[in-house]
Amino acid sequence: MNAQLFVVSTPIGHLDDITYRAVEVLKSVQIIAAEDTRTSAQLLKHFNISTPLTACHDHNESNKTDQLIQRILNGENMALISDAGTPLISDPGFKLVRAAQQHQIRVVPVPGACAAIAALSSVGLPSDRFSFEGFLPSRQSQRVATLEKLKDETQTLIFYEAPHRILECVKDMATVFGAERPVGFAREITKTFETIKKMSLSELVNFIENDHHQQKGEIVLVIGGATEQKDLEQEALDKLLLRLLQDLSVKAASQLAADLTGIKKKVAYQRALELTDKKQD
Ligand code: SAM
């Protein structure tokens, strides 16, 4: 059988999150291509894996690819790992996988931890459709321009962010997406100080500003899509109307709701009618 390239996910914090199959594959291949050989050496030591490591990172991936492909073509099974999580997800490996495919080398995924998916699965925002956006540009003007393009996106958005930029990034998000847009904050997933929270962007600005620990470690931000915000606005309007309808007529309740929220009176009236009908059903 021809040699293969295994794309192996490793833990994003808790070492027990490695899979049995990942350990088996890492032990059985002839060579492991790793983003940082020193970081990966520690992981291999922990699992008693003695397979030799070779570096494959952003700075040498183009030059190294031909060499690695040649080794696989010569019959060596190879595993690709990154420092943590799933290779290629905001990590090196794309050029190697593409080249392997071009050389008809079988690429075998060995799935496992990924910070984006772990965050999405736990913050309580819609997960049926989402867009992984990776890291935003570090320059503020470019970051804001990128956020502007995503403002009306209805899917849930997932971002990775460095801790030293988290506050300015969340502030920019609050400005562009609106202070009330829901956000999931997933910090230090699977580690001692794991923090998983859902709130509005303005609340998150306060939370991070008032607790400097929240500006440390590794962070994923999950932003509710544009419709999620509309759902929340609808929920708030419904709550207000239902309360007003306890004491007032549909006309008076919708007039007051329109005055208080700034929405069109016709819209409030229509919704008040719908809610009254629902109550009677
Ligand atoms: N390939 C990795 C994966 O599958 O998630 C991501 C690598 S990327 C270079 C590193 C970023 O992932 C961090 O800056 C952070 O945004 C996110 N991340 C990685 N581990 C995390 C963790 N334990 N908790 C929260 N975010 C994490």
Side-chain angles (χ1 to χ4, degrees):
M1 193 174 173
N2 292 336
Q4 301 171 341
L5 173 64
F6 296 87
V7 182
V8 181
S9 300
T10 56
I12 54 169
H14 202 306
L15 290 179
D16 288 357
D17 288 338
I18 200 153
T19 66
Y20 289 121
R21 186 165 166 240
V23 175
E24 215 172 89
V25 167
L26 293 175
K27 279 186 174 165
S28 69
V29 293
Q30 278 74 48
I31 182 91
I32 299 171
E35 185 185 4
D36 180 331
T37 51
R38 272 183 304 182
T39 305
S40 295
Q42 287 171 17
L43 180 84
L44 299 193
K45 193 170 165 214
H46 182 86
F47 291 102
N48 290 320
I49 300 167
S50 53
T51 311
L53 283 160
T54 185
C56 177
H57 42 69
D58 279 341
H59 310 294
N60 77 350
E61 200 183 343
S62 303
N63 300 334
K64 196 76 186 269
T65 299
D66 290 349
Q67 211 182 309
L68 295 177
I69 291 294
Q70 203 48 57
R71 290 183 73 159
I72 306 173
L73 291 173
N74 288 344
E76 287 183 273
N77 281 311
M78 184 177 292
L80 169 70
I81 59 174
S82 57
D83 286 355
T86 302
L88 281 84
I89 308 301
S90 291
D91 265 339
F94 167 64
K95 288 183 186 128
L96 182 62
V97 168
R98 184 179 53 182
Q101 203 183 47
Q102 283 162 354
H103 287 83
Q104 279 77 49
I105 293 167
R106 185 168 165 215
V107 180
V108 184
V110 182
C114 173
I117 299 301
L120 180 66
S121 68
S122 54
V123 297
L125 283 166
S127 54
D128 51 342
R129 288 170 63 243
F130 63 90
S131 171
F132 174 66
E133 298 295 328
F135 287 95
L136 283 163
S138 49
R139 274 179 129 207
Q140 198 200 17
S141 57
Q142 290 171 5
R143 182 166 62 232
V144 169
T146 306
L147 292 174
E148 286 286 353
K149 282 188 203 143
L150 294 168
K151 196 165 115 181
D152 297 322
E153 178 56 64
T154 56
Q155 303 180 66
T156 296
L157 302 169
I158 306 177
F159 297 92
Y160 284 165
E161 192 48 278
H164 61 277
R165 265 198 299 270
I166 192 68
L167 185 58
E168 45 178 313
C169 171
V170 177
K171 280 183 175 171
D172 285 343
M173 286 176 165
T175 306
V176 177
F177 294 153
E180 293 311 313
R181 182 81 75 101
V183 53
F185 177 74
R187 190 177 75 89
E188 294 287 89
I189 303 169
T190 76
K191 303 188 208 177
T192 312
F193 297 107
E194 181 180 84
T195 310
I196 310 277
K197 286 193 175 293
K198 184 175 79 169
M199 55 190 105
S200 70
L201 280 167
S202 60
E203 285 166 338
L204 184 57
V205 170
N206 287 336
F207 178 64
I208 298 172
E209 259 175 343
N210 293 331
D211 179 357
H212 284 258
H213 295 299
Q214 305 305 333
Q215 296 178 41
K216 291 185 181 138
E218 299 195 276
I219 299 161
V220 182
L221 292 172
V222 184
I223 308 291
T227 47
E228 177 71 5
Q229 186 177 18
K230 279 192 196 114
D231 286 350
L232 278 189
E233 282 165 6
Q234 183 73 56
E235 218 176 277
L237 173 67
D238 285 1
K239 223 165 138 185
L240 175 65
L241 279 170
L242 283 168
R243 176 63 193 88
L244 293 174
L245 285 166
Q246 285 175 8
D247 300 320
L248 302 171
S249 66
V250 167
K251 197 174 164 207
S254 48
Q255 176 67 66
L256 194 50
D259 289 349
L260 289 171
T261 62
I263 64 161
K264 286 200 177 103
K265 196 184 152 202
K266 214 169 120 185
V267 175
Y269 185 77
Q270 187 55 41
R271 188 62 189 154
L273 277 180
E274 285 166 13
L275 291 172
T276 315
D277 286 349
K278 258 192 212 165
K279 264 204 310 198
Q280 283 161 1
D281 283 348

